[in-house]
Amino acid sequence: MTTHRADFELNRPGALIAALPAVLGFVPENSLILVSLDGGEMGSVLRVDLSEEVTDRLVHLAAIAAAAEPEAAIAVIVDAEGAHCPGCNEEHRLLCAALADALAQHDIQLWAAHVVDRVALGGRWHCVDRCGAGGPIDDPSASPLAAAAVLDGRRLYARRADLQAVIALDAARGAGLADALRRQAAKREAAQRDDPVGCARRDVRRALAVAKRVAAGETPSGTQLAALGCALRDAQVRDTLYALAVGERAGDAESLWALLARSLPEPWRVEALVLLAFSAYVRGDGPLAGVSLDAALRCDPQHRMAGMLDQALQSGLRPERIRELAVTGYRLAKRLGVRLPPQRSFGRRAG
């Protein structure tokens, strides 16, 4: 998850910590957060749970941070109980020392490490080595990055669980669609044998129509969801639909992908998750892209597009570079004889 703000004051820990919810998309709790620094700006922001296994994950965390070749990094430990526990401070210090060693293997300096009780107005931070520095947290809702997130149309969640709920599978609904998916798969296989191009064309047009109805508040039938779930497993259909992320009706499509991700059982839901991740990444919503890719890779660890997007996201590749992938979708749509919504222009806000 990455942001780029030349005017952001990295030398003010209270402001840096207050900006974390806007970057992560939720208010972090019980977390170790690594903020990379690139040219004096905030680069990639990585988070792991503060658990007994956190030390084992430091080498991997450092390797991910190193992908963008940052100059330095800042660590933030969010620990409501441990922040004011004298006995816990040594644990925090040892954790940051181990993190510094892991980063040093990639020539990255751990510039500072802070401990905070809560990322909220009224929270307080102090340096991990008890150097005497510390102070209050700025109001996260007044952070420049929070304002940028709102302008970009991103929703900020109170907890990570609230963000994950956007894609949480409705197991009962998924089980109820299993028979419909099998029927639709057989039906589509027969249609594809007879007229593969015509079949793909119909599927893309169906996706556009259903997305429009979902945006209007309608709920698709189980048959419609199953038909789309089967269609997304066709590479020609799926690659065409990636273009919708940069079109004028991108929000409609994203709502449909989220609905499919919550409704379809495995393995059908993986393609909806990746389409949702791509759409979120394109508009600069790293948090939603991240949880969607996590879920997709749990469904299929070998999924090529999910793996590529995950690597790009974690290495801090800017959204505008990812948008270039959507051009292929417009070329495919032209071959199929389908007119997609026109491409929209993108501003340059935090992303």
Side-chain angles (χ1 to χ4, degrees):
M1 300 169 196
T2 308
T3 187
H4 301 270
R5 294 283 297 187
D7 59 345
F8 191 73
E9 298 181 61
L10 289 169
N11 61 340
R12 290 189 54 235
L16 169 67
I17 295 169
L20 294 176
V23 181
L24 294 171
F26 57 91
V27 179
E29 299 175 333
N30 199 42
S31 302
L32 169 64
I33 301 166
L34 186 65
V35 180
S36 68
L37 309 179
D38 185 11
E41 299 180 25
M42 182 188 290
S44 61
V45 177
L46 307 172
R47 189 209 70 90
V48 294
D49 290 332
L50 200 61
S51 64
E52 293 181 359
E53 296 79 26
V54 65
T55 304
D56 298 331
R57 302 184 64 183
L58 297 182
V59 172
H60 180 60
L61 187 67
I64 293 173
E69 301 182 349
E71 303 163 359
I74 296 173
V76 177
I77 294 175
V78 185
D79 188 350
E81 297 181 1
H84 303 298
C85 166
C88 300
N89 193 71
E90 182 63 11
E91 295 179 12
H92 294 155
R93 191 189 66 77
L94 291 174
L95 176 61
C96 289
L99 176 60
D101 289 343
L103 290 168
Q105 298 301 311
H106 301 277
D107 297 321
I108 303 172
Q109 179 186 4
L110 185 61
W111 188 34
H114 311 303
V115 179
V116 60
D117 53 0
R118 56 197 177 98
V119 184
L121 185 63
R124 296 192 66 83
W125 69 273
H126 62 78
C127 57
V128 74
D129 58 3
R130 291 290 185 181
C131 65
I137 305 303
D138 290 4
D139 183 357
S141 66
S143 165
L145 295 183
V150 171
L151 288 172
D152 282 335
R154 283 176 46 199
R155 180 180 173 186
L156 303 183
Y157 296 84
R159 299 175 303 159
R160 188 168 190 264
D162 297 332
L163 173 60
Q164 291 173 316
V166 175
I167 60 162
L169 176 64
D170 183 335
R173 189 174 194 180
L177 287 174
D179 287 341
L181 282 160
R182 284 190 286 269
R183 289 194 300 271
Q184 288 296 323
K187 182 179 178 181
R188 190 180 188 284
E189 184 177 352
Q192 193 174 32
R193 282 197 303 267
D194 295 338
D195 182 8
V197 173
C199 184
R201 183 187 304 117
R202 288 190 295 274
D203 286 333
V204 172
R205 287 175 175 168
R206 179 187 295 114
L208 292 171
V210 175
K212 187 175 181 179
R213 289 197 289 271
V214 168
E218 296 182 28
T219 301
S221 67
T223 299
Q224 289 174 322
L225 293 175
L228 287 172
C230 293
L232 295 185
R233 304 193 75 183
D234 182 323
Q236 187 171 208
V237 174
R238 183 176 64 246
D239 291 350
T240 301
L241 293 174
Y242 278 117
L244 299 182
V246 299
E248 291 181 354
R249 305 301 297 268
D252 296 359
E254 189 168 314
S255 295
L256 176 59
W257 308 147
L259 175 62
L260 288 169
R262 294 191 299 268
S263 303
L264 297 174
E266 296 183 18
W268 290 276
R269 75 185 298 245
V270 66
E271 302 302 347
L273 285 165
V274 180
L275 280 161
L276 176 60
F278 182 74
S279 183
Y281 196 159
V282 157
R283 64 180 175 81
D285 192 341
L288 180 55
V291 297
S292 301
L293 290 170
D294 284 346
L297 289 169
R298 284 197 299 271
C299 290
D300 181 1
Q302 305 304 317
H303 195 286
R304 292 182 63 184
M305 186 65 163
M308 184 201 71
L309 290 174
D310 186 59
Q311 184 176 11
L313 183 67
Q314 295 199 55
S315 64
L317 191 68
R318 291 175 180 266
E320 53 263 33
R321 296 286 301 278
I322 291 297
R323 290 171 198 148
E324 296 170 5
L325 298 175
V327 175
T328 299
Y330 278 95
R331 287 200 297 265
L332 290 171
K334 186 175 182 180
R335 292 177 193 170
L336 290 174
V338 178
R339 177 174 294 182
L340 299 181
Q343 285 185 252
R344 60 192 170 115
S345 59
F346 289 85
R348 292 185 59 82
R349 295 195 182 105

